[in-house]
Amino acid sequence: MGGLVFGWTVEAHLSATEKINKAFPPSTEIRISLENLESLIPADDEGLKLFKSNYESKLTLKALTCSQGHSVSRFDSIEKIKKLTIDRDCLKEQDEQLQKLIGIKFVGFRLTQPPLKPIVKLGLPKLLPIQDGVVPVMGKSASKAGVAVFSGQRNDFVSVEIPSGNRISSLPTIPEASRSHFSLSPNGRILAIPVNNSGLRFIDNETGQDLWQTKDFTNLEAWLPEVQAALVRSSKDGKNEILLVDFKEAKIKTYSASNQNPLPWALQVNELPSRVLVGVHTDFTLIENVRSINGVEGKNIKTFTLNSRKGINQPTPILMLNGKAIFFATTDRNHMFINLETGEEKVFETREFLVGNTFAKLNEEEVLAVSYNHTGQKQPRLWALNITNSTLSPVEESEAINGEVYAMDGRAGFMRKDYQKMWIGDEVKLGRSELLTTIIAGRKLEMQLAALENEERMVRARQESLRAAEEISRIQQRAGVRGASTGANHISDRALMEQIRQLERLRYGSASAPVISTMDAISPAPSAPQRYNYGAQANEARKLAILNTTSRMLGDVPSNAKVEAIGVYETKDRATSGISVVVKKSDRPIVLMLSAYEPVRWNLIKESGANLVAIIATGNSLPEVKGAGATKTVIKRGNYAYQPSGSQYEALNNDAIMWTGKPISKFQGTYGGSVFVVGN
């Protein structure tokens, strides 16, 4: 290998280019890298000859390029050549190309070696010991080796054998490195770490030594050891594209999916033949990689376009059904899988129940996912989603019950992190399974019941503030305070608004927190059905509890009642007088829904024979209702709509169903309203 740098020792026998390279030799770092490479790669390695040829070619190119403008002959001495004014930037640039060639050879050689540690079954969740003081933030595993790498809070890294957690090596601390987007080669020997979103650093996972640092890529997307290549992401000039690095030929070229937004992704599907999926958003392509005399070539096998048009969200999809399907989170926070052989798509409506991007492959048919922190639940719960029969099963474990879930790369299993602890496993104890549709229905009922219970609590709070204001008024009247009645009204208003502000802060801290106004007596809410039980019996109990709650607040809504809704953004011309609603005679009872974005005053005018049984007034700002009389009225912050379509209308219609068990039967809406008529 030394001959690659120093050539012959007799100057007379050296060519002009060899003398130039003697006079301006490669950097010390390059010479050290060459020595390490020579000690690492066996002399009979089939790729070594090609590497030597490539290296000599780049040395010649360096000499010719950087000596332009100078006349150098084979009779000139090396000392004379050293005195030439050679472009130092050119020498540096050419040295970078030499270092790049060496780095590619280093990584390529490690990529083709056997697994660093044998892959074994992980079993039930096991707590991994902390090694070298690295408090785990994220973990990545090798798909074909019993190896994992963990990043720490100080951007420190450690490689361990799994499932024992025994340390393999201490890796560099890289302050500017990504703690979550690093990648481990299938054999567990190479760690690829994005650095400051402007480069990629390849590290020997067994020794902790650098193999290659490059600014040409920002992330490694997929390893392809069977063709001695890898797919990487480049983000130069604001353009995101996938490149192929051919480690055998030391070539880099554009691969596929050169899109700016969203970011492309790649997933290895099969090794023999070598196949990958490359895609963006709703479109992706199955590509087969074949090595020919021109290097690695990709051939498009099949193109997919999702019918749902929801799109694939990060992270990269995972393989299921022995490589026949992929599972992923959608952009609308649901989950989905597509059969790569048949094209079948199945959408799991999980966004009300499961966290979208937090999942891991348990086996070929089941995915582990985390549920949201539900009512009365101290910690998010872990569930197993069966993608073939669409069921959910609760995970019943004493270990790894809390924290975030991370997928294992290219294999079944999961990691779960909670504070300064990390568990790892590929087996869990499951409880009784239920159909996903049953559980989702139960979750929605649970959310409705919780919302109604919250409404009742706010009713009681308002009643208490009104009673306090009335008591102050009586005290002032007995004391002979002038203007006591007016003062009491102001005190009542101030007390009410303070209660409203406190209650809104309690409920998620959002502007959508509901506020209720009613003077009816409130009975204690019935005991809720058992939490986390979403079976048919528990769901019936929830339905009964919802019915009892709404009956206490709205009264007994007749079975033949209809829901008529009115929606505006604001009053016409922003008139302070409000909007008039004329309620005419009707054969069927009416539940009237009033909604607005601005704080609207609704003036009700009931004609003879009006059959108004309840009023629900809601809006982005707290509305006001005049003329309701004895009709039970709910006034709250919440959803509004002024058009009979879109997500806002859907939310308002869901409110109607929650409060009355009935959808909106008639809707009137406009941007600026003045007069509406219902019941005719």
Side-chain angles (χ1 to χ4, degrees), residues 276-428:
V276 292
L277 284 172
V278 177
V280 288
H281 198 48
T282 61
D283 303 296
F284 50 98
T285 303
L286 180 63
I287 303 174
E288 184 169 306
N289 305 296
V290 179
R291 181 171 288 282
S292 66
I293 59 174
N294 298 319
V296 177
E297 299 289 340
K299 177 183 177 183
N300 290 3
I301 302 298
K302 190 175 183 180
T303 298
F304 302 84
T305 298
L306 298 180
N307 294 326
S308 67
R309 308 302 298 176
K310 296 301 182 183
I312 297 176
N313 202 5
Q314 296 293 333
T316 301
I318 59 175
L319 285 176
M320 301 294 292
L321 304 181
N322 297 306
K324 296 179 181 178
I326 56 172
F327 177 90
F328 50 89
T330 62
T331 51
D332 64 345
R333 298 185 294 111
N334 284 314
H335 292 98
M336 181 176 178
F337 94 85
I338 180 169
N339 190 305
L340 301 177
E341 295 183 349
T342 66
E344 174 197 2
E345 297 180 12
K346 183 187 288 188
V347 177
F348 303 96
E349 300 289 344
T350 54
R351 63 181 175 184
E352 301 290 349
F353 191 76
L354 299 177
V355 180
N357 291 347
T358 303
F359 57 85
K361 178 178 178 178
L362 181 60
N363 52 54
E364 295 301 328
E365 294 186 351
E366 292 182 301
V367 175
L368 286 180
V370 178
S371 62
Y372 288 105
N373 196 350
H374 297 165
T375 307
Q377 185 179 353
K378 294 182 179 180
Q379 293 288 346
R381 194 170 187 183
L382 198 59
W383 297 78
L385 170 63
N386 190 302
I387 66 172
T388 57
N389 58 25
S390 300
T391 59
L392 272 175
S393 304
V395 174
E396 299 178 346
E397 291 288 348
S398 57
E399 288 284 343
I401 59 174
N402 300 326
E404 299 175 80
V405 171
Y406 302 116
M408 305 283 281
D409 292 337
R411 63 174 291 183
F414 66 96
M415 300 179 190
R416 192 159 204 196
K417 176 188 173 297
D418 180 37
Y419 188 46
Q420 296 186 355
K421 297 179 179 179
M422 182 76 78
W423 288 268
I424 190 168
D426 59 9
E427 180 183 345
V428 292

Side-chain angles (χ1 to χ4, degrees), residues 539-600:
N539 287 347
E540 287 301 318
R542 289 188 179 92
K543 290 179 182 178
L544 180 60
I546 289 172
L547 180 61
N548 290 339
T549 305
T550 55
S551 294
R552 289 195 301 271
M553 303 179 73
L554 286 181
D556 185 13
V557 176
S559 60
N560 66 335
K562 62 178 180 178
V563 178
E564 292 202 29
I566 297 173
V568 299
Y569 185 89
E570 61 185 17
T571 59
K572 187 176 181 180
D573 300 326
R574 304 182 72 88
T576 58
S577 58
I579 297 175
S580 297
V581 180
V582 180
V583 184
K584 290 183 171 293
K585 178 181 178 180
S586 60
D587 296 331
R588 294 171 58 188
I590 294 175
V591 175
L592 180 60
M593 290 195 74
L594 306 169
S595 74
Y597 178 83
E598 294 289 344
V600 169

Side-chain angles (χ1 to χ4, degrees), residues 33-54:
S33 296
L34 277 172
E35 292 174 0
N36 291 337
L37 190 63
E38 185 178 31
S39 65
L40 176 67
I41 301 179
D44 59 351
D45 183 271
E46 63 177 16
L48 188 58
K49 183 178 180 180
L50 177 61
F51 168 76
K52 289 181 178 180
S53 176
N54 288 337

